[in-house]
Amino acid sequence: MSLLEVEHITQHFGGLCAVSDFSLRLEPGELVGLIGPNGAGKTTVFNIMTGVYRPTSGRIHLDGEDLVGLSPSAIHARGLARTFQNIRLFKKMTVLDNVRLARYARLGYNPLEALFHVGRFRAEELKILEHARSLLALFHLEDAAGERAENLPYGLQRKLEIIRALASQPRILLLDEPAAGMNPPEIEELMAFIQRIRKEFALTILLIEHQMRLVMGICDRLVVLDFGATIAEGLPHEIQKHPQVLQAYLGVEVGE
Amino acid sequence: MKMRWMIGVLLLAGFALSWAVPHFGWLDPYILLVLMYLGINIILTASLNLVNGYMGEFSVGHAGFMAVGAYVSSVLTVNLFPVTGAVFLFPVAVVGGGLAASLAGLLVSIPSFRTRGDYLAIVTLAFGMIVKSALENIESVGGPRGFMGMEQLTTLPWVYVWVVVTIWILRNLVFSKYGRGMAAIREDEVACDLCGVHTRRVKISAFVVSAFFAGVAGGLYAHVLQFINPRMFDILKSTEILIMVYLGGMASLGGSILGASIYTIAMELLREQGAWRMVLMPLLLILLMLFRPRGLFGLREFPWLVPLRDLVLLRPVKKQKEKTHVPAGS
Ligand SMILES: Nc1ncnc2c1ncn2[C@@H]1O[C@H](COP(=O)(O)OP(=O)(O)OP(=O)(O)O)[C@@H](O)[C@H]1O
Ligand SMILES: [Mg+2]
């Protein structure tokens, strides 16, 4: 059984069919790329997987458990964490608090203990603090812990968003265009970064990306989406030559 | 550690002072009265800031919860408590008023936070009106004529204690996972949800706590004035609390203390001006919105209001010179 099984997902927005009959399997430890032209439905797939949208039809199984209908926070608790195409950090919160927030559900104290700062409050907060700091230190961000997230340079904001996702110790990490707005050296660094966290955190990763350099460089396998439907699936070098993919991307009829 | 000691000593000294000042008659009774209103306004402002400032929602019915607390506590001290015990049972009455208000808060927040979107302003506006007209129609509490017979049980030490308790509890909440959850809801509710926060639960809890302290303030208010009527808790009163919140600054307890103090004192100084003060204060607010939209102390906090642990950690690192190599992209 695969770690994650997305089965026949369809999503309509009014008359528009953003995703149609989409299926995907993720094996533990895989790094899969989800590519496709603008508006193909890639982000919508992420939104469905993380519970932002409830699909019109279809099922999603994580370790055999159906995720459809669960709230975003419940799905997060089951080990799915993501980043966003347009960075969505908590801008006015500190870097440290952005990371600490992601462990909200794992903090074992109740509202009463929080109101009076008694009971498990102290120990739990110290634990999470230690964890957040060591996580930031791992990526050389500890000096920025007290800085507001909005004050970080763009590249670091992208990185912080990934760290925030890692903070909850997810099993599956969904990255939505992590290289957007980056220049080649930055992309190079990002690739190393993704490979590093993949290994160190034993992650299964699904990533959306337009930067072919990154996709071809680090993905084990690619899935190509166009107009909401999967048009191709395979190893990166196969996809590169796939006629339908070329057509979708370049708008040319190959072989005509 | 040193600061903690100092805070403790200062709090005790403050309490002693709040007792000594009226006891030895060091200040004019009128000034004592203003001080009590000031304390009550701090409680109102700080508690509304939890919802409107920290969480970024827009509640406009705080006076409604205040009314619930005022009436419930007054009925308790006047009708239900034994005459001789009233003084000792006063805290119970105030807490009772607070609990009643928080129950009302729960009822209001459940439908308001059912879906995303801005229903809260509308629901709380309606709530304020409903409370007022309900009270006007309940004859047993005097209807439109109002309710009286309370002794002046609210004293300066009591106000002092309640202000300290309110600020302390709100600070505890703000510097906990729930407080971070509230801030994250303000910043980006969807992302917050996706970080594992049960946002609806956090919103309802914050609202209930906020309503509780509005009720406490109502109870204290009723037992200063010794007379309450439904018109005291109308939309104007709610607006006044909103002004104090935004004057002091969003998401800042220190700001709320400042905002409530400045507003209360300014209103007293302007009392002579009569109708003019109703022009001056809104004008001040408009100027503030134009030149300092975050309020005087928005998104900042006095160090003594920050728990030690957070203070040490969250002090912004001075100008990071050797910033990590990644330059700004896009
Ligand atoms: N909430 C929504 N309501 C209506 N239409 C939507 C909604 N979300 C997405 N869509 C539409 O669904 C289609 C797929 O959008 P989606 O954002 O998933 O594309 P994408 O593959 O991520 O594109 P890009 O590469 O530009 O990010 C688009 O036509 C978009 O306009
Ligand atoms: Mg997208």
Side-chain angles (χ1 to χ4, degrees):
Chain A
M1 197 172 57
S2 310
L3 178 60
L4 186 88
E5 298 175 0
V6 178
E7 290 172 359
H8 310 292
I9 290 288
T10 297
Q11 176 81 53
H12 292 283
F13 292 116
L16 178 88
C17 186
V19 176
S20 81
D21 200 26
F22 173 80
S23 297
L24 171 82
R25 276 161 185 260
L26 287 181
E27 304 301 330
E30 260 192 320
L31 200 175
V32 177
L34 182 60
I35 64 171
N38 288 113
K42 306 179 295 293
T43 299
T44 306
V45 166
F46 272 21
N47 282 334
I48 295 167
M49 290 171 75
T50 52
V52 178
Y53 300 146
R54 194 193 171 116
T56 315
S57 65
R59 291 189 309 181
I60 302 167
H61 288 283
L62 176 67
D63 257 350
E65 187 189 6
D66 197 353
L67 299 183
V68 171
L70 293 182
S71 69
S73 51
I75 292 177
H76 182 266
R78 283 163 179 73
L80 246 79
R82 70 177 284 186
T83 65
F84 301 88
Q85 188 167 347
N86 315 307
I87 302 173
R88 292 178 82 161
L89 286 169
F90 306 117
K91 294 199 189 93
K92 299 253 183 291
M93 291 167 66
T94 60
V95 168
L96 183 69
D97 277 353
N98 268 274
V99 176
R100 284 199 287 184
L101 181 89
R103 284 183 82 76
Y104 177 94
R106 285 169 179 264
L107 271 167
Y109 58 81
N110 60 36
L112 273 181
E113 288 167 313
L115 283 176
F116 300 101
H117 281 198
V118 293
R120 288 167 293 179
F121 176 85
R122 228 189 134 69
E124 287 287 304
E125 279 288 333
L126 283 176
K127 215 162 69 188
I128 185 200
L129 184 64
E130 217 30 69
H131 174 263
R133 285 167 85 189
S134 60
L135 197 58
L136 286 173
L138 207 52
F139 302 110
H140 312 294
L141 265 172
E142 70 269 39
D143 285 343
E147 194 74 58
R148 283 209 186 127
E150 63 183 355
N151 294 339
L152 291 186
Y154 179 83
L156 286 187
Q157 290 194 19
R158 282 255 169 233
K159 205 166 167 183
L160 176 59
E161 217 192 13
I162 299 176
I163 297 172
R164 182 179 70 182
L166 290 177
S168 62
Q169 289 167 325
R171 286 193 282 174
I172 301 175
L173 179 64
L174 308 177
L175 301 172
D176 197 344
E177 303 198 19
M182 290 189 174
N183 58 31
E186 286 171 337
I187 292 176
E188 221 46 64
E189 199 201 304
L190 178 71
M191 285 165 68
F193 177 70
I194 293 174
Q195 275 170 321
R196 176 180 163 201
I197 59 171
R198 177 192 185 184
K199 216 165 66 208
E200 285 180 20
F201 293 81
L203 287 170
T204 305
I205 300 177
L206 179 63
L207 77 88
I208 297 175
E209 195 43 77
H210 285 297
Q211 302 284 347
M212 282 308 134
R213 174 196 184 79
L214 185 144
V215 174
M216 296 297 161
I218 61 173
C219 292
D220 300 331
R221 191 157 68 82
L222 296 181
V223 176
V224 190
L225 210 59
D226 193 19
F227 292 111
T230 310
I231 56 167
E233 231 183 309
L235 300 174
H237 68 268
E238 294 170 0
I239 295 296
Q240 237 166 347
K241 299 192 283 272
H242 198 287
Q244 260 184 297
V245 176
L246 292 175
Q247 185 195 333
Y249 266 95
L250 305 171
V252 292
E253 284 295 335
V254 180
E256 238 180 22
Chain B
M1 223 59 242
K2 214 169 160 191
M3 191 159 83
R4 268 183 106 158
W5 269 101
M6 287 219 336
I7 293 170
V9 170
L10 282 177
L11 284 177
L12 277 178
F15 179 75
L17 203 63
S18 77
W19 172 81
V21 165
H23 188 78
F24 297 113
W26 288 343
L27 284 176
D28 194 70
Y30 164 72
I31 294 179
L32 281 182
L33 205 61
V34 174
L35 283 177
M36 285 197 271
Y37 288 138
L38 197 156
I40 292 169
N41 281 342
I42 289 175
I43 297 174
L44 287 168
T45 309
S47 58
L48 183 62
N49 206 339
L50 192 67
V51 172
N52 287 31
Y54 285 97
M55 209 158 67
E57 298 287 329
F58 196 63
S59 165
V60 296
H62 219 47
F65 299 110
M66 195 188 169
V68 172
Y71 271 84
V72 168
S73 62
S74 299
V75 167
L76 285 174
T77 56
V78 174
N79 295 346
L80 294 176
F81 288 167
V83 183
T84 47
V87 181
F88 305 103
L89 288 171
F90 181 50
V92 179
V94 172
V95 170
L99 289 176
S102 60
L103 187 68
L106 185 67
L107 293 178
V108 167
S109 60
I110 286 174
S112 309
F113 297 136
R114 184 168 293 278
T115 43
R116 297 208 173 94
D118 233 353
Y119 293 112
L120 190 67
I122 297 158
V123 177
T124 49
L125 186 67
F127 170 75
M129 293 178 187
I130 291 167
V131 166
K132 183 167 166 265
S133 54
L135 290 172
E136 279 170 348
N137 287 294
I138 300 175
E139 269 311 312
S140 58
V141 290
R145 280 168 288 112
F147 188 74
M148 58 180 100
M150 297 79 94
E151 287 178 60
Q152 200 184 50
L153 296 173
T154 302
T155 56
L156 197 59
W158 269 128
V159 173
Y160 178 84
V161 167
W162 275 109
V163 168
V164 171
V165 166
T166 305
I167 298 292
W168 180 66
I169 286 188
L170 290 177
R171 182 212 72 155
N172 286 351
L173 194 59
V174 164
F175 289 97
S176 76
K177 65 172 183 170
Y178 302 104
R180 291 191 289 270
M182 288 174 212
I185 288 172
R186 176 191 70 218
E187 295 297 311
D188 188 331
E189 189 171 344
V190 176
C192 179
D193 231 330
L194 288 164
C195 282
V197 180
H198 202 302
T199 50
R200 187 164 171 239
R201 214 178 283 164
V202 171
K203 282 156 89 173
I204 292 176
S205 317
F207 202 77
V208 166
V209 170
S210 168
F212 175 84
F213 286 110
V216 164
L220 294 173
Y221 189 67
H223 291 84
V224 181
L225 274 182
Q226 299 171 269
F227 165 70
I228 46 176
N229 71 35
R231 277 177 321 260
M232 289 173 178
F233 308 102
D234 61 1
I235 183 80
L236 266 177
K237 183 73 196 176
S238 291
T239 312
E240 206 178 37
I241 307 170
L242 281 170
I243 291 178
M244 290 188 279
V245 170
Y246 294 113
L247 175 69
M250 313 281 280
S252 164
L253 292 172
S256 287
I257 295 173
L258 280 178
S261 305
I262 293 171
Y263 182 85
T264 312
I265 292 168
M267 283 310 247
E268 284 310 320
L269 294 179
L270 292 172
R271 195 169 278 286
E272 248 90 292
Q273 263 56 48
W276 275 104
R277 69 182 186 151
M278 281 306 166
V279 179
L280 279 169
M281 274 326 272
L283 203 67
L284 187 79
L285 197 69
I286 293 171
L287 287 177
L288 193 81
M289 290 284 183
L290 282 177
F291 296 107
R292 218 182 151 88
R294 263 193 217 158
L296 295 174
F297 209 57
L299 288 168
R300 292 198 292 159
E301 200 55 276
F302 293 123
W304 48 270
L305 277 170
V306 181
L308 203 64
R309 190 180 50 246
D310 282 75
L311 187 65
V312 176
L313 276 149
L314 296 182
R315 188 175 302 140
V317 178
K318 324 108 223 145
K319 288 285 157 295
Q320 287 172 297
K321 271 161 226 127
E322 8 77 275
K323 193 73 157 228
T324 334
H325 33 280
V326 186
S330 68

